Amino acid sequence: MALLNDLINLNLTDSTKKIIAEYIWIGGSGMDLRSKARTLPKPESDPKKLPKWNYDGSSTGQAPGEDSEVILYPQAIFKDPFRGGNNILVICDAYTPAGEPIPTNKRHAAAKIFSHPEVEKEVPWYGIEQEYTLLQKDINWPLGWPQGGFPGPQGPYYCGIGADKAFGRDIVDAHYKACLYAGINISGINGEVMPGQWEFQVGPSVGISAGDEIWAARYILERITEIAGVVVSFDPKPIPGDWNGAGAHTNYSTKSMREEGGYEIIKKAIEKLGLRHKEHIAAYGEGNERRLTGKHETANINTFKWGVANRGASIRVGRDTENDGKGYFEDRRPASNMDPYVVTSMIAETTILL
């Protein structure tokens, strides 16, 4: 095993200018990440200069067997924390050979919204709080929970420390550092209310980069849990009953909201979101009705309400924003399995373009 680890950790820069590029894309379910690697002749930092590639879409539920080729377009580059050196992770979106985005390519439509002059002018910032649950492999039961049983009730686990409260911290810290190494704008981590559940935050990120960074961070987390022999779940309510669900609270502001008088802009934006509540809910993740019950720090899925410092609201405005008369707000509705391209672009579209 020592020899295997030595080979895995070889520094290629000592012997070649070639690098390994791991091309990453989203599979047919909209949540399954796929990737494969290729050798490139030299280091590269511009995704536009990377070659397109292809894969068998019939094996990912994205193309029929008789016309299975799907084309990968490189869109964002991150440093590879697993291979190190000049090696890279490449976030891609997927197209037909004719250049049409395939149905599961949500980035293409989001990029159109973010490139709209009115949206670009407002420089939308996002901070996404990605919650997830670590599960014991084979039994799909939260890490740290007794097999077939339950831990003590919620209360001591949120931001808790100690072997009886925090389960999987080594995975969480490894992910934190790997994201920083990769160049992802990860801004923090914490243990969540349900034991075995954690959260990382990405942002502030501008426009389409928020989606790229969340998907890259999810990929890195999946790879780390693969190494650790643990399963990561983005299910919005992994355990039924009196246990918190998992969300992806999305903090948002525009240039106008961040300037003097911004609080009035925020209130108008929230009003617009309320008018499209059903459309947003439909796009905010699968199984969200199991999470948005009106309990466990959520608003009921059929109700739209906002408030200052209210964690039981659909939209929460912070005390600092109210006091300063400018700032940001938090959309608490997105589920942990939401597509960040869909959520971020939809918020921008509703609040800026409609």
Side-chain angles (χ1 to χ4, degrees), residues 218-344:
R218 284 175 173 176
Y219 173 83
I220 291 170
L221 181 59
E222 292 263 20
R223 286 283 306 275
I224 289 172
T225 53
E226 172 190 321
I227 293 166
V230 170
V231 175
V232 59
S233 170
F234 295 103
D235 189 287
K237 186 73 172 179
I239 304 297
D242 196 17
W243 304 98
N244 272 39
H249 301 157
T250 301
N251 299 275
Y252 171 70
S253 71
T254 63
K255 186 172 182 290
S256 299
M257 294 175 191
R258 297 187 291 269
E259 295 175 345
E260 294 302 320
Y263 194 35
E264 291 305 311
I265 306 295
I266 287 171
K267 288 192 282 187
K268 288 177 183 176
I270 293 172
E271 184 179 348
K272 289 181 178 180
L273 288 169
L275 294 174
R276 295 190 75 204
H277 177 62
K278 287 184 179 178
E279 292 90 335
H280 278 257
I281 287 294
Y284 273 16
E286 294 293 326
N288 214 8
E289 72 282 353
R290 294 182 282 116
R291 168 180 163 261
L292 297 181
T293 61
K295 300 177 180 179
H296 304 109
E297 302 179 69
T298 70
N300 187 279
I301 195 167
N302 297 311
T303 304
F304 181 88
K305 62 180 181 177
W306 74 278
V308 176
N310 183 356
R311 296 184 184 275
S314 313
I315 306 289
R316 181 184 68 87
V317 174
R319 290 281 182 207
D320 287 347
T321 294
E322 182 187 43
N323 293 337
D324 295 343
K326 60 183 178 180
Y328 70 96
F329 63 83
E330 175 193 42
D331 191 338
R332 297 179 59 81
R333 296 172 295 173
S336 50
N337 60 3
M338 63 84 161
D339 187 321
Y341 296 133
V342 173
V343 169
T344 56

Side-chain angles (χ1 to χ4, degrees), residues 163-174:
D164 58 341
K165 302 179 195 72
F167 311 114
R169 190 184 297 275
D170 51 348
I171 292 170
V172 175
D173 276 348

Side-chain angles (χ1 to χ4, degrees), residues 28-282:
S29 74
M31 267 305 289
D32 58 314
L33 283 162
R34 310 286 180 126
S35 74
K36 61 177 182 173
R38 67 182 296 168
T39 304
L40 299 178
K42 62 182 177 63
E44 187 53 74
S45 58
D46 183 355
K48 293 178 182 177
K49 294 181 180 179
L50 294 177
K52 295 174 184 176
W53 207 5
N54 64 74
Y55 67 92
D56 171 16
S58 70
S59 295
T60 62
Q62 293 170 296
E66 64 273 13
D67 187 15
S68 64
E69 191 167 287
V70 180
I71 312 302
L72 293 171
Y73 287 33
Q75 299 292 359
I77 291 175
F78 299 92
K79 292 175 66 179
D80 187 339
F82 302 101
R83 295 188 175 106
N86 293 319
N87 303 301
I88 55 176
L89 305 177
V90 184
I91 297 294
C92 304
D93 57 357
Y95 296 79
T96 68
E100 295 295 322
I102 66 172
T104 51
N105 179 354
K106 306 303 183 184
R107 191 187 191 281
H108 179 80
K112 280 188 174 181
I113 291 171
F114 285 121
S115 63
H116 190 287
E118 291 299 311
V119 176
E120 286 187 331
K121 185 175 72 174
E122 283 291 349
V123 195
W125 289 3
Y126 297 91
I128 299 175
E129 305 169 29
Q130 176 68 71
E131 294 178 337
Y132 60 93
T133 308
L134 297 175
L135 303 177
Q136 301 170 58
K137 194 174 173 240
D138 300 326
I139 63 171
N140 280 340
W141 200 239
L143 202 63
W145 290 35
Q147 186 169 342
F150 296 88
Q154 294 181 157
Y157 309 108
Y158 172 69
C159 297
I161 59 171
D164 58 341
K165 302 179 195 72
F167 311 114
R169 190 184 297 275
D170 51 348
I171 292 170
V172 175
D173 276 348
H175 177 250
Y176 195 174
K177 289 185 176 180
C179 285
L180 286 171
Y181 176 91
I184 294 166
N185 192 24
I186 187 169
S187 45
I189 56 98
N190 61 268
E192 268 303 331
V193 178
M194 188 183 87
Q197 192 180 83
W198 295 81
E199 173 184 300
F200 66 88
Q201 302 95 33
V202 168
S205 303
V206 179
I208 198 74
S209 65
D212 291 337
E213 292 187 14
I214 282 289
W215 278 115
R218 284 175 173 176
Y219 173 83
I220 291 170
L221 181 59
E222 292 263 20
R223 286 283 306 275
I224 289 172
T225 53
E226 172 190 321
I227 293 166
V230 170
V231 175
V232 59
S233 170
F234 295 103
D235 189 287
K237 186 73 172 179
I239 304 297
D242 196 17
W243 304 98
N244 272 39
H249 301 157
T250 301
N251 299 275
Y252 171 70
S253 71
T254 63
K255 186 172 182 290
S256 299
M257 294 175 191
R258 297 187 291 269
E259 295 175 345
E260 294 302 320
Y263 194 35
E264 291 305 311
I265 306 295
I266 287 171
K267 288 192 282 187
K268 288 177 183 176
I270 293 172
E271 184 179 348
K272 289 181 178 180
L273 288 169
L275 294 174
R276 295 190 75 204
H277 177 62
K278 287 184 179 178
E279 292 90 335
H280 278 257
I281 287 294

